[in-house]
């Protein structure tokens, strides 16, 4: 019975405790403004931590939307270069960094697929990044991950990765996803430089150009949630998860519980999925938050916590 199933549609995992805590430290959730009592988890995103929380909450499937930013990795590596390099030494070092980044995204994605093979409850969505894999390489890598490593979808984070969701360098990757019928889960929200790369409006051109592609606009628009309803009403291939934003409903920029529930109502509750955004928040708290929303029926909330993800993501 799919209506009994519980799914976490948005989880991040890291290969080591160190990798998880470094990423958490370097990733500030700023867009909602301030909120005094934000519920955060102590976890850092290891597989074991997640499995314990899944067991405790009867969540049988978790979608692993791993995040990789060539831009951020490159910035850190370039800042660590010694100062007195000649131009040619510098050129060589930059080429080495680019090669390392290419290898790194591929091995991170392979790891995601490998752990998902070992744990039947994990569903791997692999990172795609045209700044790591330029030209045709990104689409080729995604095809390889889906066809040969059982990747179930693709994860994007335009604000963190530094490209627009409708950047045509992504078109071949979108084409592959549409052709192979695998969905994309993409972060949405404002970016620090106000480029609008991942705001709901930035998804318009890609949703229009790839009408068969299922695109999950994560966080319901996040800090730019006021743009979300229009995109939902214009593009039937847009879907949503309510993670992160649901933890910030007493913040200065986020919606209230009432506004969030109304937004889900207006979009259509069958197009919205629950996620935890673990290891930023806890799975049990994410479930509680959905069930505490006003305006939605018990049945609609139960679907948000499981059955919708089964249908939308084809689990
Ligand atoms: Zn996330």
């Amino acid at each position: 019975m799919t209506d009994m199933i519980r799914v976490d549609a948005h989880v991040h995992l890291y290969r080591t405790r160190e990798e998880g805590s470094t990423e958490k430290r370097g990733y500030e959730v700023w867009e909602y403004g301030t909120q005094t009592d934000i519920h955060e988890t102590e976890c850092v995103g290891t597989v074991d931590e997640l499995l314990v929380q899944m067991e405790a909450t009867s969540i049988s499937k978790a979608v692993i939307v791993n995040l990789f930013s060539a831009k951020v990795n490159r910035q850190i590596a370039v800042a660590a270069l010694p100062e007195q390099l000649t131009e040619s030494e510098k050129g060589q070092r930059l080429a080495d960094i680019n090669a390392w980044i290419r290898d790194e995204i591929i091995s991170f994605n392979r790891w995601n697929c490998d752990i998902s093979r070992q744990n039947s409850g994990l569903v791997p969505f692999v990172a795609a990044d045209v700044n790591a894999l330029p030209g045709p390489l990104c689409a080729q890598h995604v095809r390889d991950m889906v066809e040969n490593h059982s990747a179930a979808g693709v994860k994007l984070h335009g604000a963190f990765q530094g490209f627009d969701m409708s950047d045509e360098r992504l078109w071949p990757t979108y084409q592959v996803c549409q052709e192979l019928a695998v969905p994309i889960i993409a972060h949405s929200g404002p970016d620090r430089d106000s480029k609008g790369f991942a705001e709901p409006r930035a998804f318009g051109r890609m949703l229009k150009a790839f009408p068969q592609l299922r695109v999950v606009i994560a966080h319901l628009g996040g800090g730019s949630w006021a743009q979300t309803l229009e995109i939902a009403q214009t593009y039937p291939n847009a879907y949503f998860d309510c993670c992160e934003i649901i933890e910030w409903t007493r913040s200065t920029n986020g919606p209230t519980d009432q506004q969030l529930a109304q937004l889900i109502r207006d979009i259509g509750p069958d197009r919205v999925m629950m996620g935890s955004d673990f290891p930023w928040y806890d799975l049990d708290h994410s479930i509680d938050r959905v069930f505490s929303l006003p305006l939605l029926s018990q049945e609609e909330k139960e679907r948000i916590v499981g059955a919708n993800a089964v249908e939308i993501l084809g689990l």
Side-chain angles (χ1 to χ4, degrees), residues 38-242:
I38 189 75
H39 178 99
E40 285 167 313
T41 181
E42 298 289 305
C43 293
V44 294
T46 64
V47 179
D48 289 345
E49 286 173 338
L50 176 66
L51 294 176
V52 168
Q53 290 216 5
M54 287 174 70
E55 172 91 42
T57 51
S58 303
I59 284 180
S60 57
K61 287 203 182 293
V63 180
I64 314 304
V65 291
N66 272 355
L67 180 56
F68 184 91
S69 172
K71 183 185 162 206
V72 172
N73 276 287
R74 194 173 282 122
Q75 276 167 353
I76 293 169
V78 168
L81 287 178
E83 270 170 36
Q84 317 84 331
L85 292 177
T86 64
E87 276 310 301
S88 82
E89 283 170 339
K90 201 167 175 200
Q92 184 54 50
R93 295 292 192 97
L94 290 176
D96 292 346
I97 290 169
N98 286 338
W100 166 73
I101 286 171
R102 248 193 325 268
D103 291 347
E104 191 61 9
I105 187 172
I106 291 169
S107 70
F108 192 40
N109 284 338
R110 288 219 176 126
W111 174 78
N112 188 0
C113 292
D114 288 345
I115 52 158
S116 300
R117 218 188 326 263
Q118 292 157 23
N119 297 279
S120 60
L122 307 184
V123 182
F125 273 49
V126 292
D129 188 338
V130 285
N131 293 324
L133 299 164
L137 295 178
C138 188
Q140 283 168 11
H141 173 58
V142 166
R143 180 183 288 281
D144 176 47
M145 288 290 110
V146 174
E147 289 183 339
N148 303 317
H149 299 267
S150 305
V154 161
K155 168 66 192 295
L156 295 170
H157 191 316
F160 195 58
Q161 294 176 306
F163 48 72
D164 191 283
M165 296 315 299
S166 289
D167 184 330
E168 292 196 10
R169 289 179 301 158
L170 289 159
W171 257 221
T173 299
Y174 296 159
Q175 186 62 47
V176 163
C177 291
Q178 183 170 258
E179 179 197 326
L180 300 177
V182 296
I184 288 176
I185 296 180
H187 172 93
S188 70
D191 55 277
R192 290 281 200 184
D193 303 324
S194 302
K195 293 208 162 103
F197 282 168
E199 292 180 11
R201 271 187 212 122
F203 290 76
R205 272 191 344 110
M206 62 101 82
L207 287 162
K208 188 171 180 197
F210 298 92
Q212 255 62 261
L213 180 63
R214 284 163 291 151
V215 180
V216 177
I217 299 178
H219 319 307
L220 280 161
S224 34
W225 59 279
Q227 298 176 19
T228 304
L229 183 58
E230 192 188 333
I231 292 295
Q233 287 172 336
T234 312
Y235 303 104
N237 53 330
Y239 300 89
F240 305 88
D241 73 42
C242 60

